[in-house]
Amino acid sequence: MDPQTAGWALIVALFLPLAGAGLLALMPARLDREIRWAGVGITAVAFALVVAITAAFDFGASGELQFQTDVSWIGAINANFHVALDGISLPLFFLTYLLPLLCAIYTTRILPAPGRPKAFLGLMLLLQTGMAGTFVAFDLILFFVFWELVLVPMFFLIGMWGGPRREYASVKFFLYTLFGSIFMLVAFLAIYFQGGATTWDIQALSAAGGVGGVTFQTWAFAGIFLGFAIKVPMWPFHTWLPDAHTEAPTVGSVLLAGVLLKMGTYGFIRIALPILPEGAMRFAPIIGVLAVIGIIYGSLCCLAQTDVKRLIAFSSVGHMGFVMLGIAAMNEAGIQAALFGNIAHGVVTGMLFFLAGSLHERYHTREIAEIGGGMFTKIPRYGVLLTYVAVASLGLPGLAGFWGEFTAMWAAISPGGGLADTYGGLYLALVVVAAIGTVLTAGYFLWLLQRMNLGRPTARWADEPLQDVMRVEWVSWMPLLVLILALGVYPRLVFGVQDAAVNNLMGWVLGG
């Protein structure tokens, strides 16, 4: 497979989940078991194709667009159907196909009420198409279409299969993200009409070295900032996230944390920085301050939580703060840190939500006090897995969570590039506060492990038979457990892929 001529492979991979959703819609609803396994088959075929694309990817030319298709789409508005992969988008694209496969395997045994696997898996496949398209679209209009596509399936996944407050959480998610999208679309239109652009093509706009003057870029960046910051989500635009995660079904939370949140940070890196570099330079210190506030705020909120899933949700606010701190550094190391942090968070926090879902299946509650301690006694394998993933999330060296956080802080104060030379005192203060956030992160995760794993089971659970990790859980979790270690021991699995692409992108940003 030649990555320069096999654009068809990317298109097939992109729309295969959508075709699979159509296939599931044709299956009789009574075929419950067959529908669940069809979901596994569809996601497995799509993932196998993405593995083949990854194997054929020319890593020596990762800064160039590969598997590219660029054809006229809507001639009336000069929009093209332009999809491709480079070193920045490939790891996220890969993750977008791995997680739905693992979720489909998990669903063969565990599906929340009211069941209906045909609708559930169909919405998951539609969501996968929207997320994957966002990472490969190189036309602003096409990017916006895929960006908006994810709203509907996630709204119904939360609203139909979520917890007791699912209607509130789903509407809040929908309205928040739609509100941000409106400002983002206005900014895209301004770039085209007021900024003097003649194309919607992201690569062409980036290579042009900036659209419009400094004042225009500042206002346009503000509009794009709202759209992407809400999706990340950054403090103070984060309030939809804890509710959405808490009420979402397990699969919804895994995909929301594992992939959907990455759309916002990816948008900053792919679109906002290279197309509006002067606006990005002006906003970078503000982004850095908000990111660090989010790190501390998320950690303090975690310390106050009584619900395991809500604690993990607030931890995402802090972890994504480190990603945004890397972006705010405005240098190559910072962008590398942000992209690595995206993948690490997707793998680690996605796994944490799998564990939280299975915890609820066993105890029928997520309240830490009701569960009590003694999981090392009652379900020791589960307790070990929870410990392993929690220490990865708190940033233990040798596991995936460490490199994104450490590199982001290092990049923020590195001289000779970015904004550390201009705002040295501010960025040093931000890194010091962020480092305090890592201590708080260790504190709330270790406290969680102490309360749940150690000690003896409470009287309520002492004689209650609880099943340890099931076979379907081992199968659906093992790839993530391996990746957590592999990314920690050999971070070049991600860093090495994106080097050239990040170098090209920062050349446009700093050159603009």
Side-chain angles (χ1 to χ4, degrees):
M1 187 186 301
D2 184 354
Q4 300 303 326
T5 59
W8 60 268
L10 183 60
I11 294 176
V12 172
L14 179 59
F15 290 110
L16 187 57
L18 185 62
L23 176 63
L24 291 180
L26 298 176
M27 296 180 68
R30 68 178 183 277
L31 301 177
D32 184 283
R33 184 173 180 274
E34 290 79 1
I35 288 171
R36 297 186 193 216
W37 282 104
V40 174
I42 294 164
T43 52
V45 171
F47 179 66
L49 180 55
V50 171
V51 170
I53 289 173
T54 303
F57 189 83
D58 184 358
F59 294 98
S62 64
E64 302 174 5
L65 297 186
Q66 303 179 41
F67 297 96
Q68 182 171 202
T69 298
D70 187 4
V71 296
S72 179
W73 179 38
I74 309 176
I77 60 173
N78 201 26
N80 281 11
F81 184 85
H82 186 189
V83 295
L85 281 172
D86 67 357
I88 291 174
S89 54
L90 179 62
L92 289 164
F93 190 70
F94 186 91
L95 188 63
T96 305
Y97 283 78
L98 173 62
L99 286 178
L101 170 59
L102 305 183
C103 288
I105 294 172
Y106 187 81
T107 302
T108 60
R109 179 69 182 269
I110 302 170
L111 183 66
R116 301 178 187 172
K118 181 165 75 169
F120 186 88
L121 290 168
L123 288 169
M124 187 188 78
L125 292 169
L126 180 60
L127 177 66
Q128 181 181 6
T129 299
M131 295 186 300
T134 302
F135 297 132
V136 299
F138 279 84
D139 181 277
L140 288 177
I141 297 299
L142 184 63
F143 175 91
F144 186 79
V145 169
F146 283 120
W147 175 277
E148 291 297 281
L149 181 60
V150 304
L151 292 183
V152 174
M154 184 55 76
F155 171 82
F156 284 109
L157 283 172
I158 299 173
M160 294 178 64
W161 288 272
R165 300 177 70 242
R166 56 185 177 271
E167 292 89 356
Y168 169 77
S170 60
V171 171
K172 190 174 183 179
F173 160 78
F174 190 90
L175 292 180
Y176 259 72
T177 50
L178 183 63
F179 174 80
S181 298
I182 293 171
F183 286 93
M184 185 176 72
L185 179 59
V186 170
F188 285 175
L189 292 170
I191 288 170
Y192 189 87
F193 289 107
Q194 300 299 320
T198 58
T199 179
W200 300 102
D201 190 85
I202 294 172
Q203 197 79 344
L205 292 170
S206 300
V211 176
V214 174
T215 302
F216 170 79
Q217 288 196 27
T218 302
W219 284 104
F221 191 95
I224 290 180
F225 171 84
L226 279 175
F228 293 154
I230 289 173
K231 188 80 83 178
V232 170
M234 289 183 67
W235 182 92
F237 310 106
H238 68 284
T239 58
W240 64 269
L241 182 68
D243 292 314
H245 267 317
T246 303
E247 302 304 326
T250 299
V251 165
S253 292
V254 171
L255 295 177
L256 183 60
V259 183
L260 196 141
L261 301 188
K262 314 305 176 285
M263 291 166 55
T265 53
Y266 175 82
F268 274 114
I269 294 170
R270 176 66 75 192
I271 297 174
L273 268 62
I275 296 179
L276 304 168
E278 293 292 342
M281 289 292 182
R282 286 192 167 192
F283 265 84
I286 299 173
I287 291 174
V289 170
L290 295 180
V292 171
I293 292 174
I295 293 170
I296 299 298
Y297 175 86
S299 299
L300 293 176
C301 286
C302 285
L303 289 168
Q305 297 310 306
T306 60
D307 182 297
V308 174
K309 203 173 183 185
R310 198 168 181 86
L311 183 151
I312 299 170
F314 272 110
S315 77
S316 288
V317 177
H319 290 315
M320 297 310 290
F322 280 102
V323 173
M324 294 308 300
L325 178 61
I327 293 174
M330 293 296 289
N331 56 27
E332 187 172 337
I335 302 302
Q336 290 266 29
L339 291 168
F340 188 96
N342 268 338
I343 300 300
H345 178 266
V347 171
V348 175
T349 306
M351 186 62 226
L352 280 173
F353 277 116
F354 265 136
L355 290 169
S358 287
L359 184 74
H360 187 266
E361 291 292 325
R362 287 160 172 79
Y363 287 91
H364 307 292
T365 180
R366 295 190 301 264
E367 288 293 322
I368 299 170
E370 292 184 28
I371 294 170
M375 284 206 298
F376 276 152
T377 302
K378 294 292 294 185
I379 43 176
R381 294 183 183 87
Y382 180 93
V384 169
L385 292 183
L386 179 62
T387 302
Y388 172 68
V389 182
V391 297
S393 189
L394 65 82
L396 184 73
L399 298 176
F402 172 75
W403 291 108
E405 296 181 3
F406 171 78
T407 311
M409 291 188 288
W410 179 81
I413 55 176
S414 295
L419 295 179
D421 296 331
T422 307
Y423 301 99
L426 172 63
Y427 275 64
L428 178 59
L430 293 179
V431 169
V432 170
V433 177
I436 295 172
T438 65
V439 176
L440 293 174
T441 302
Y444 66 72
F445 270 122
L446 293 176
W447 191 33
L448 173 70
L449 294 175
Q450 179 189 15
R451 288 181 289 172
M452 295 181 62
N453 279 346
L454 303 181
R456 296 180 178 275
T458 62
R460 177 179 177 182
W461 306 109
D463 299 321
E464 184 79 17
L466 297 175
Q467 186 173 8
D468 211 334
V469 183
M470 299 182 293
R471 181 181 302 174
V472 69
E473 292 171 331
W474 279 120
V475 174
S476 56
W477 296 351
M478 189 54 68
L480 298 181
L481 298 172
V482 172
L483 276 174
I484 288 172
L485 179 61
L487 291 174
V489 173
Y490 192 65
R492 279 192 61 80
L493 285 173
V494 174
F495 284 139
V497 173
Q498 61 198 26
D499 275 343
V502 172
N503 183 267
N504 285 351
L505 184 138
M506 290 311 297
W508 294 328
V509 174
L510 300 177

